[in-house]
Amino acid sequence: MPFPPPPRTLLGPRRRSLLASAAGAALLVGCSTDADDSGTTGGSASVSEHARARAASDSDTLVQRYDAVIAAHPTLAERLDPLRAEVVRHVAAFGGSGSTPSATATASPSASATAVPATPGDALAELAAAERALADRRAKALLDLPGELARLLASVAAAGASHAYLLTEGAK
């Protein structure tokens, strides 16, 4: 008498475990500036330096957008301050000087020059779109970068994507 066939088992990891693994990897990488490689593995030092400078500048511009939204809509300050503080840490992780640690008191002069939508909802949507666009750009750019810098950029891109989520879907 033949044995019945074994129940069909899925080969490989399930979608949830892959997502959990990716999220865990992003948390483990963190926003560290400790380079275990000199930034030259897989690319020249000038490419790495340019990528770091660009990432710091992009994050600093994003901080200014947060400042402008907080200045135009002070009721959003409590919600936006933690996200803004994380973006300031990203500037520092990429070697930039960063902006002030808190935007609740005053916004920078360059932030006031940024156009902010009139309603808080539209301002949040615009900020989420900026976070999403920057995260997408960073995800594409990390493919051409050496190890540690690519991991840092991936981590910051993941953080930006989560910020976009928190600014839109997280409010529902």
Side-chain angles (χ1 to χ4, degrees):
M1 177 168 154
F3 290 107
R8 185 169 188 265
T9 58
L10 297 174
L11 298 175
R14 302 179 97 184
R15 191 177 338 172
R16 284 188 187 150
S17 62
L18 284 174
L19 291 173
S21 298
L27 289 174
L28 289 175
V29 170
C31 292
S32 168
T33 58
D34 297 330
D36 60 356
D37 57 35
S38 63
T40 59
T41 307
S44 71
S46 62
V47 170
S48 295
E49 290 169 10
H50 177 72
R52 277 186 180 276
R54 171 77 189 259
S57 175
D58 287 346
S59 290
D60 195 49
T61 299
L62 193 57
V63 169
Q64 293 172 16
R65 288 187 113 141
Y66 273 95
D67 289 345
V69 170
I70 291 169
H73 304 287
T75 58
L76 296 175
E78 185 178 340
R79 181 175 177 186
L80 296 180
D81 275 346
L83 300 177
R84 181 195 180 277
E86 193 169 324
V87 176
V88 169
R89 285 191 295 274
H90 296 162
V91 173
F94 287 118
S97 61
S99 298
T100 57
S102 175
T104 54
T106 59
S108 65
S110 57
S112 60
T114 304
V116 176
T119 66
D122 289 344
L124 288 175
E126 187 268 346
L127 198 53
E131 284 271 17
R132 194 173 302 109
L134 184 55
D136 290 346
R137 230 177 24 249
R138 285 177 169 165
K140 289 177 186 170
L142 70 88
L143 298 174
D144 299 325
L145 297 175
E148 183 65 24
L149 182 55
R151 288 188 290 275
L152 176 60
L153 200 61
S155 176
V156 174
S162 68
H163 290 181
Y165 173 81
L166 291 171
L167 290 167
T168 55
E169 301 300 321
K172 293 182 181 177

